[in-house]
Amino acid sequence: MLTFYNELHSQHRGRHEFFRGELVPCFEKPERVDQVLAELGRRGLGQIVTPHSVPPMTLERVHTPRYLSFLRNAWSDWVALDPANANKDAFPAVWPVRTLRADIEPDNFCAKLGLYSMDSGTPITSGTWTAAKTGADCAVNAAHALRLGERATFALTRPPGHHAGADFYGGYCFLNNAALAAQHMLDDGARKIAILDIDYHHGNGTQSIFYDRSDVLFVSIHADPRSEYPFYLGHADETGHGAGLGYNVNLPLPHGASTQAWFAALETACLRLQMFQPEALIVSLGVDTFAGDPLSHFGLQSADYLRIGERLSYLGLPTAFIFEGGYAVKELGVNVVNVLEGFDTAL
């Protein structure tokens, strides 16, 4: 398996995040990727390469130019407000909720933060743009390698991506890596691409990007949004709109769902993927479904991730895995690489 590794991921290193009313150390931290990289090296699972940079127009196929301009300049604008901000992460404090206008970009940078964000738990740091852009490079390179004949690839990067929408960030995500990978394959000539999101949290950004389209099937297994982030998207009745009706499949599971229930949902997802007959599969690979994860409430064990990889391999599709969530750092490397090894050795 070919792994595209973001060597610059640690440039995004948040000091804190807001969690349940207080500032706490960030759960989304560089050690997450370090653990996966170490486990890949220990098992010798394929080649690890550096991605080629993709042009700005590739990002604009998924994200709006206005949002990309904001994100690219956010740190310099933050420090320009006050040189002392160089020692503080940037967080929003106001949002354009219902009845307020989001079509006009304010001049005030603090207002821009709220315009383009969905939560107060996703810090912007001095290296956020560099890490996110290089992560997008990894995802697009991983997708392109499938077009060149690779059976499976892995984008090992952070920050993650599946909560980022066309014009907003949140849930630790800034650029939607899975969406960028899928869109690149379509632009390169593919007719139908599927995205399977197995992160504990619903990939709201990915859903919103493709919700009215029939060339991308989005299937997500996740915790019920009535009780878990992102709260406002991910319900079973969200099945697509217009041309996309029927091409969005949400499989929410209740708090504390059993491993048996999770794998039953995976089987439902695989059946829908087979019916769609895509030319390739993008997997948003979150392993925060693990029993020891500090942000989640499912019960999967490390051995279960081997089973996941094996089941996805039986779909027989060229597959790009994109690293998303998972915050139990001690076990993280084993769980992620178990999925990849299960996939790599099943056939």
Side-chain angles (χ1 to χ4, degrees):
M1 183 175 297
L2 197 59
T3 293
F4 292 89
Y5 169 54
N6 182 357
E7 296 176 348
L8 303 179
H9 75 89
S10 62
Q11 291 198 26
H12 174 72
R13 183 187 292 268
R15 295 171 175 85
H16 299 93
E17 65 177 86
F18 284 99
F19 183 68
R20 296 175 183 170
E22 60 182 344
L23 276 175
V24 300
C26 288
F27 290 100
E28 204 292 292
K29 51 191 176 182
E31 290 80 2
R32 300 174 61 243
V33 161
D34 296 342
Q35 289 289 337
V36 178
L37 184 66
E39 186 65 17
L40 281 170
R42 189 183 73 80
R43 299 196 208 180
L45 192 67
Q47 185 181 3
I48 298 172
V49 298
T50 301
H52 298 293
S53 180
V54 302
M57 67 179 65
T58 300
L59 304 183
E60 291 176 6
R61 295 290 293 139
V62 166
H63 296 285
T64 66
R66 189 176 80 161
Y67 171 65
L68 292 171
S69 177
F70 158 79
L71 200 58
R72 190 181 297 110
N73 298 304
W75 184 254
S76 59
D77 289 346
W78 172 241
V79 174
L81 286 179
D82 183 346
N85 283 348
N87 298 312
K88 307 173 186 176
D89 295 340
F91 288 99
V94 60
W95 290 268
V97 298
R98 291 166 296 280
T99 77
L100 301 182
R101 292 185 66 174
D103 59 316
I104 299 175
E105 184 182 63
D107 295 330
N108 183 290
F109 176 72
C110 293
K112 289 182 183 180
L113 280 172
L115 177 66
Y116 293 115
S117 71
M118 62 177 283
D119 61 39
S120 61
T122 306
I124 289 180
T125 77
S126 60
T128 295
W129 170 255
T130 297
K133 168 58 170 66
T134 311
D137 295 341
C138 288
V140 172
N141 277 247
H144 192 68
L146 298 185
R147 298 290 291 168
L148 296 177
E150 292 288 333
R151 175 175 177 259
T153 57
F154 177 41
L156 177 54
T157 185
R158 54 166 294 279
H162 72 150
H163 292 305
D167 61 354
F168 63 85
Y169 70 93
Y172 310 143
C173 304
F174 299 92
L175 296 175
N176 195 307
N177 298 321
L180 287 163
Q183 186 61 53
H184 174 77
M185 298 190 78
L186 293 167
D187 290 342
D188 195 50
R191 295 181 303 105
K192 295 194 299 184
I193 300 296
I195 300 175
L196 173 63
D197 193 322
I198 58 172
D199 192 278
Y200 178 81
H201 304 94
H202 177 253
N204 61 284
T206 314
Q207 171 173 310
S208 65
I209 288 166
F210 296 115
Y211 200 63
D212 60 354
R213 291 170 52 175
S214 60
D215 53 353
V216 175
L217 172 68
F218 177 66
V219 183
S220 180
I221 307 169
H222 54 271
D224 193 324
R226 290 176 296 180
S227 60
E228 296 288 350
Y229 189 94
F231 301 115
Y232 310 112
L233 212 62
H235 299 282
D237 65 351
E238 297 158 11
T239 58
H241 177 264
L245 186 61
Y247 296 94
N248 193 89
V249 180
N250 285 326
L251 302 170
L253 296 173
H255 184 288
S258 68
T259 298
Q260 181 180 4
W262 194 93
F263 274 96
L266 178 63
E267 204 57 39
T268 299
C270 288
L271 178 61
R272 185 66 184 87
L273 292 168
Q274 289 173 313
M275 293 171 60
F276 183 60
Q277 297 183 324
E279 292 164 61
L281 175 65
I282 309 296
V283 178
S284 280
L285 178 54
V287 294
D288 42 2
T289 47
F290 180 62
D293 196 277
L295 295 182
S296 310
H297 304 282
F298 287 168
L300 272 64
Q301 302 296 322
S302 292
D304 292 321
Y305 295 100
L306 283 166
R307 292 176 57 195
I308 293 170
E310 290 171 357
R311 182 63 185 91
L312 297 181
S313 182
Y314 292 141
L315 292 171
L317 295 169
T319 301
F321 294 91
I322 313 292
F323 185 42
E324 300 283 5
Y327 309 97
V329 172
K330 180 181 177 182
E331 300 86 359
L332 187 60
V334 170
N335 294 342
V336 169
V337 180
N338 274 359
V339 175
L340 305 180
E341 187 171 282
F343 185 96
D344 220 27
T345 59
L347 294 179

